[in-house]
């Protein structure tokens, strides 16, 4: 600015002063920072004043705005600067809180923390400012209010939702140092008047701090005025007059600026700071002008009011409700045509962008009231009621969110009323296939276009969504669940109504709705064998669907629901036979996702039922596919798991959440895992003991082996705490034959509370588990220690495992028959005589080494054949009539590979060759297995050389493991056993 002044002086007034004089003046008085010194002479003061006047004339070409002229330069202290910065940030935060921009509020809060840290020295001297404490309290209320509004949180953008979470976490940590101050403020908060008074006081403090500086300038002005009296007053140039350019300001403001200039005795007074008296005088003038302007506006309003027009005085800052238009004009005759025309007008507005859905519902209610008041008939009432229910459904267009509780209550009452009208008036026909021009609402018989069944199905879906939206552990969920009897009552009433008038397809639909609210509920009356129970109802409804349904979907769901219902009531054989006869395993992969979820739930309940009945192997087969994946929670639609390969999109996550089952229909996952692990323990531990030195032994349960390996890798194993640790500890005890420790690990107070008490009749289940542990521990003991004994007394074994002598005899006999134990029974002495046919450990290791070497040689030969181009080529003809492949020279025949089930023999060392199941070291290499062809003989004679229909005859179509059996083509582990995993 100083350079600009020198430039203007040199080039515009060269005739008055030389450049050398100008440079000296500039160097001595303008360029120096301390222009106002006490030892300045009067002549030099006049020269400076003249220079300023010249500069003012040149600067007239540039008009400054009123704000710049009125702006006061204030010298602030460090405290005021810091506090003003804080207040500015708080003001910005308030603006962002009004629009609920949580991301900006979070950034404002971080800036406030940094600004507050800069004020720490001031705060240590004077204490924490109250306006900052007030801001923290208001921010706490804002966060709590936004966080509790769940519906608003769901509608937030990702940026705002993330900002709200971050703000909430940071605020909780930050206010730990302010808890006492905030609690004191909450006890005695500031009123609005106090807040405004505080702001005024702070502003006055800042003005008072600058008073000293202003007084110094005033002293200088007085000195200048004394010197001025002794000198003649210099003339002002004509250019010093006001410029007449108009920049859009009104005449009042321009006159006020000219008045202000007249008040100054010299030009320095305009540029120097004002005294407090002058500032107060200026403020009074401004206030006076504002009052006059306000009066002028009021007078103009009164003139307009006198000229004509009605004006309504409304309170400022309030939302004005839009008045609803009148239904009909005054003195309109109410008849069927008028009502129907108005109804069509309301219906045509459905779905349009500007339609107020709440207003639509209210108008429908009002229209129905008017129709009933004028007694226009029950037919018209039914039509309006159907449209009213549709408008209630339309209120929430988003299928991902549930209905509000107020609308839900209306919906329930309207549906109850509609069904009651239809039941009491048989002359009313409501059908969706009635054309609109064929409707009859004026005379009986009435015909109305609509579908009550669709509305009831939609109501049922809304009820499920409301349960999904509630917190499962809150009282809100319990309150919503109390509406289920009302929903079931509506479905039951509609079922009674439709059994007389509807088609078979519609009856199948309403029957399935009734089944869906019945199949998962346990009834003790059913266990008692009473006829008046849900079992008879399920059988009647499902049988009708089996015979009348034309779609596979309803029939499949009805069958799965019936199997589920039988399983939870311990009807094991009925549920198993129905599952096997349905062959659902073959077709379930082609079903929709909800049907696959229902299939998974049914298989789980079937496995739990088998476990309660003591069928351990069947239980394991039913649960292995669900538990082996580690996604039981997701497969049963009881929650979402994080995916490792990729993340779900927002749309996929919404779809998955809509598939979730309500909490009261969940299956206890800890109970499910415990049953699976106990079943795997009872099957796997004896098998591991029997095949301890077998290099190619298969795993019955991979999940169980994984749990055992994890436990073995732990450096320090403490007492078991979780359910899984209890089962692992029990498995280790069973390995040694210590059945008592095994029982104590599986059945104790902690396990009873977590698992076993959840069963119906838990004592019966616990007794069954103890019996199974005793029997399998005996088998494990005999497998492990048979090489140590020459003979064993069955009486001793019965006492050791606390089993009856007949049970011990039966177990040992089965082991000898199945060639699992090389021994014989001596009946007179009641002893078991061991046969030394088992290889020693050294022999077992040698056999393993020879097998591995042979496998290595075979792999090398195959690699060489592959390089030479002679690797497993079949003849063009394919198979022979007997099912074998044609063998070329230098080619192996299909079935001669060394594997677990096919090979050259175990002694020949083959565990499952054609001659026998475990033909170990027979000297003559004989048939084995008691000379019975079993296990891998194609078309074998069956179990123990018995006829068709027995357990292990795989070629028998009706057998337990045949074409429809558990491990056959359609069984648990057959062709469709894992179909549910392929799509879902």
């Amino acid at each position: 600015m100083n350079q600009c002044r020198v430039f203007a002086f040199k080039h515009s007034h060269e005739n008055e002063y030389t450049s050398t004089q100008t440079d000296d003046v500039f160097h001595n008085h303008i360029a120096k920072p301390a222009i106002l010194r006490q030892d300045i002479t009067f002549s030099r003061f006049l020269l400076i004043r003249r220079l300023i006047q010249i500069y003012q004339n040149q600067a007239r070409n540039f008009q400054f705005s009123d704000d710049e002229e009125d702006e006061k330069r204030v010298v602030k202290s460090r405290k005021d600067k810091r506090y003003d910065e804080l207040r500015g940030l708080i003001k910005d935060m308030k603006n962002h809180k009004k629009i609920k921009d949580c991301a900006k509020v979070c950034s404002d809060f971080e800036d406030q923390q940094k600004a507050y840290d800069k004020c720490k020295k001031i705060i240590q001297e004077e204490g924490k400012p109250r306006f900052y404490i007030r801001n923290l309290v208001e921010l706490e209320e804002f966060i709590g209010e936004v966080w509790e509004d769940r519906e608003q949180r769901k509608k937030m953008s990702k940026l705002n939702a993330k900002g709200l979470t971050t703000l909430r976490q940071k605020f909780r940590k930050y206010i730990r140092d302010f808890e006492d101050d905030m609690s004191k403020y909450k006890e005695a908060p500031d009123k609005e008047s106090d807040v405004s008074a505080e702001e005024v006081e702070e502003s006055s403090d800042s003005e008072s701090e600058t008073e000293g500086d202003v007084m110094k300038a005033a002293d200088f002005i007085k000195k200048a005025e004394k010197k001025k009296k002794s000198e003649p007053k210099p003339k002002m140039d004509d250019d010093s007059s006001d410029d007449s350019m108009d920049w859009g300001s009104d005449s009042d403001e321009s006159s006020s600026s000219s008045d202000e200039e007249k008040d100054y005795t010299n030009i320095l007074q305009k540029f120097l700071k004002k005294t407090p008296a002058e500032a107060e005088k200026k403020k009074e003038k401004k206030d006076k002008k504002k009052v006059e302007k306000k009066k002028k506006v009021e007078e103009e309003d009164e003139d307009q009011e006198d000229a004509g027009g009605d004006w309504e005085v409304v309170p400022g800052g309030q939302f004005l409700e839009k008045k609803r238009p009148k239904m009909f004009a005054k003195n309109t005759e109410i008849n069927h045509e008028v009502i129907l025309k108005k109804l069509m007008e309301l219906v045509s507005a459905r779905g349009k962008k500007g339609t107020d859905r709440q207003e639509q519902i209210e108008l429908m209610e009002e229209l129905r009231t008017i129709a009933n008041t004028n007694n226009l008939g029950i037919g018209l009432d039914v039509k309006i009621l159907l449209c009213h229910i549709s408008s209630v459904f339309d209120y929430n267009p988003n299928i991902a969110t549930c209905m509000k509780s107020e609308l839900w209550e209306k919906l329930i009452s309207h549906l109850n009323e509609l069904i009651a009208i239809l039941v009491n008036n048989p002359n009313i026909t409501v059908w969706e296939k009635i054309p609109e021009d064929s409707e009859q609402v004026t005379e009986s018989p009435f015909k109305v276009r609509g579908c009550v069944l669709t509305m009831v199905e939609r109501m049922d879906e809304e009820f499920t969504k409301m349960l999904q939206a509630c917190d499962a552990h809150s009282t809100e969920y319990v309150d919503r669940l109390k509406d289920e009897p009302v929903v079931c009552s509506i479905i039951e009433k509609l079922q009674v109504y439709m059994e007389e008038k509807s088609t078979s397809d519609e009856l199948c639909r309403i029957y399935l709705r009734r089944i869906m609210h019945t199949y998962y509920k346990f009834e003790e009356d059913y266990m008692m064998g009473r006829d008046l129970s849900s079992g008879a109802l399920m059988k009647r409804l499902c049988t009708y669907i089996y015979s009348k349904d034309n779609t596979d979907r309803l029939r499949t769901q009805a069958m799965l629901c019936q199997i589920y219902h039988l399983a939870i009531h311990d009807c094991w054989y009925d549920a198993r036979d129905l599952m096997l006869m349905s062959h659902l395993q073959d077709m379930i992969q082609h079903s929709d996702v909800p049907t696959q979820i229902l299939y998974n739930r049914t298989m789980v309940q079937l496995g739990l039922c088998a476990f309660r009945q003591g069928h351990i192997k069947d239980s394991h087969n039913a649960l292995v596919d669900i538990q082996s994946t580690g996604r039981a929670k997701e497969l049963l639609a009881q929650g979402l798991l994080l995916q490792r390969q990729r993340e779900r999109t927002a749309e996929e996550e919404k779809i998955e959440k809509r598939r979730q089952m309500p909490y009261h229909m969940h299956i206890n996952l800890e109970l499910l895992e415990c049953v699976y692990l106990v079943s795997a323990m009872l099957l796997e531990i004896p098998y591991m003991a029997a095949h301890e030195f077998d290099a190619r032994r298969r795993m019955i349960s991979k999940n169980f082996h994984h749990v055992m390996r994890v436990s073995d890798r732990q450096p320090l194993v403490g007492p078991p705490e979780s359910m899984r640790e209890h089962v692992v500890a029990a498995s280790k005890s069973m390995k040694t034959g210590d059945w008592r420790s095994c029982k104590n690990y599986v059945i104790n107070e902690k396990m009873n509370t977590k698992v076993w008490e959840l069963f119906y009749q838990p004592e019966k289940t616990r007794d069954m588990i103890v019996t199974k542990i005793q029997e399998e521990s005996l088998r494990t003991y005999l497998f492990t220690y048979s090489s140590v004994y020459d003979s064993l007394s069955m009486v001793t074994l019965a006492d050791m495992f606390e089993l009856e002598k007949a049970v011990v005899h039966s177990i040992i006999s089965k082991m000898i028959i199945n060639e699992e134990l090389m021994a014989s029974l001596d009946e007179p002495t009641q002893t078991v005589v061991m046969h030394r046919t088992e290889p020693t450990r050294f022999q077992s290791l040698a056999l393993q080494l020879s097998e591995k070497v042979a496998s290595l040689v075979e792999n090398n030969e195959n690699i060489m054949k592959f390089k030479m181009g002679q690797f497993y080529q079949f003849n063009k003809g394919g198979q022979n009539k007997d099912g074998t492949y044609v063998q070329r020279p230098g080619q192996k025949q299909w079935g001669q590979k060394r594997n677990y089930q096919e090979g050259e023999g175990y002694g020949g060392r083959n565990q499952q060759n054609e001659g026998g199941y475990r033909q170990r070291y027979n000297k003559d290499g004989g048939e084995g297995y008691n000379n019975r062809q079993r296990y891998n003989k194609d078309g074998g004679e069956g179990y123990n050389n018995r006829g068709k229909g027995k357990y292990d005859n795989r070629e028998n179509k009706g057998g337990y493991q045949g074409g429809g059996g558990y491990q056959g083509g359609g069984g648990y582990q057959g062709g469709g056993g894992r179909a549910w995993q392929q799509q879902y």
Side-chain angles (χ1 to χ4, degrees), residues 234-286:
K235 294 182 179 180
M236 302 292 291
D237 294 339
D238 296 335
D239 296 335
S240 62
S241 60
D242 295 337
D243 195 357
S244 61
M245 291 180 65
D246 187 10
W247 292 91
S249 61
D250 52 8
S251 58
D252 295 336
E253 293 177 353
S254 60
S255 61
S256 64
S257 60
S258 60
D259 293 340
E260 289 174 2
E261 290 180 0
K262 292 176 183 177
D263 294 338
Y264 300 124
T265 56
N266 55 21
I267 197 64
L268 279 179
Q269 191 173 0
K270 181 175 180 180
F271 290 96
L272 294 176
K273 296 178 182 179
K274 312 293 186 300
T275 61
E278 293 174 349
E280 188 67 26
K281 186 178 179 182
K282 187 177 179 181
K283 187 177 179 183
E284 288 177 358
K285 286 183 179 180
K286 285 186 178 180

Side-chain angles (χ1 to χ4, degrees), residues 810-829:
S810 174
I811 293 172
I812 295 175
S813 300
K814 287 180 182 178
M815 294 174 68
I816 294 173
I817 291 171
N818 296 334
E819 292 188 2
E820 296 175 341
L821 183 66
M822 299 302 171
S824 59
L825 289 176
D826 189 1
E827 293 292 342
T829 58

Side-chain angles (χ1 to χ4, degrees), residues 481-741:
L481 197 58
K482 290 178 182 178
D483 292 333
E484 191 190 14
V486 182
V487 175
C488 295
S489 173
I490 292 174
I491 295 174
E492 186 176 354
K493 291 176 184 177
L494 184 61
Q495 173 193 337
V496 174
Y497 170 74
M498 295 181 64
E499 284 175 350
E500 300 177 357
K501 293 191 173 185
S502 300
T503 61
S504 58
D505 293 339
E506 292 177 339
L507 273 179
C508 290
R509 288 166 60 188
I510 192 63
Y511 281 173
L512 185 62
R513 287 290 164 182
R514 184 83 184 275
I515 289 169
M516 285 295 183
H517 284 274
T518 309
Y519 80 97
Y520 64 90
K521 296 176 182 176
F522 178 80
E523 286 189 1
E524 193 171 356
D525 293 342
Y526 190 93
M527 304 293 291
M528 300 296 180
R530 299 173 185 173
D531 295 335
L532 299 175
S533 61
S534 60
L537 174 65
M538 288 286 296
K539 186 176 181 181
R540 179 174 68 86
L541 299 179
C542 292
T543 305
Y544 184 87
I545 294 176
Y546 299 155
S547 59
K548 300 293 183 181
D549 179 48
N550 297 324
T551 61
D552 293 335
R553 182 175 180 273
L554 297 184
R555 186 187 302 111
T556 302
Q557 290 186 349
M559 192 170 294
L560 290 172
C561 290
Q562 188 176 8
I563 295 170
Y564 190 105
H565 190 264
L566 291 170
I568 62 175
H569 292 95
D570 287 344
C571 299
W572 157 246
Y573 292 103
D574 295 338
R576 183 201 66 182
D577 294 343
L578 187 58
M579 175 65 78
L580 296 179
M581 287 188 296
S582 64
H583 292 279
L584 289 174
Q585 300 89 340
D586 300 333
M587 64 184 77
I588 195 63
Q589 72 271 20
H590 303 297
S591 302
D592 56 346
V593 175
T595 307
Q596 293 184 22
I597 292 172
L598 182 58
Y599 172 80
N600 294 337
R601 288 167 53 80
T602 304
M603 293 300 297
V604 165
Q605 287 295 349
L606 202 59
L608 295 177
C609 176
F611 182 82
R612 290 192 295 268
Q613 298 298 313
H615 305 286
I616 303 300
K617 189 172 183 179
D618 296 328
S619 175
H620 179 269
N621 291 337
L623 300 177
V624 64
D625 289 335
I626 297 290
Q627 288 297 126
S628 60
T629 59
R631 298 189 300 126
K633 185 177 184 180
E634 187 173 356
L635 294 175
L636 298 176
Q638 297 183 184
L640 298 179
L641 299 175
L642 295 176
Q643 293 183 345
R644 296 180 181 178
Q645 290 80 9
R646 67 180 187 88
E647 293 184 359
R648 296 185 185 89
T649 62
E651 188 63 27
E652 289 176 347
E653 190 170 354
K654 288 180 182 178
I655 294 172
E656 291 290 341
K657 286 182 178 180
R658 288 202 298 270
R659 291 173 181 161
Q660 300 303 303
M661 303 299 294
Y663 184 74
H664 68 283
M665 299 174 66
H666 283 194
I667 300 171
N668 193 307
L669 296 178
E670 190 172 13
L671 168 67
L672 178 62
E673 185 181 7
C674 181
V675 168
Y676 170 74
L677 291 177
V678 170
S679 302
M681 176 189 74
L682 296 175
L683 294 174
E684 194 74 65
I685 297 300
Y687 182 81
M688 291 169 62
H691 302 82
E692 184 179 0
F693 304 110
D694 189 0
R696 296 182 179 179
R697 73 181 179 200
R698 61 187 178 88
M699 290 187 294
I700 298 175
S701 173
K702 292 184 180 180
N703 193 14
F704 178 77
H705 277 273
H706 174 71
V707 172
M708 294 293 290
R709 283 197 298 271
V710 169
S711 177
D712 293 338
R713 284 199 295 264
Q714 292 181 355
L716 179 62
V717 180
E721 295 180 359
S722 64
M723 174 274 301
R724 191 177 297 178
E725 292 176 353
H726 277 84
V727 176
V728 170
S731 303
K732 293 179 179 178
S733 299
M734 183 181 281
K735 276 185 179 180
T736 61
D738 187 1
W739 71 273
R740 290 184 178 85
S741 299

Side-chain angles (χ1 to χ4, degrees), residues 431 470 503 695 857 924:
W431 195 30
C470 296
T503 61
V857 172
D924 52 354

Side-chain angles (χ1 to χ4, degrees), residues 733-734 736-745 770 773-778 799-803:
S733 299
M734 183 181 281
T736 61
D738 187 1
W739 71 273
R740 290 184 178 85
S741 299
C742 179
K743 183 201 74 170
N744 293 333
Y745 282 126
V770 171
I773 288 174
Q774 290 172 333
E775 293 175 359
E776 298 303 325
S777 296
L778 173 60
D799 294 339
M800 184 184 299
F801 292 94
E802 295 184 5
L803 292 171

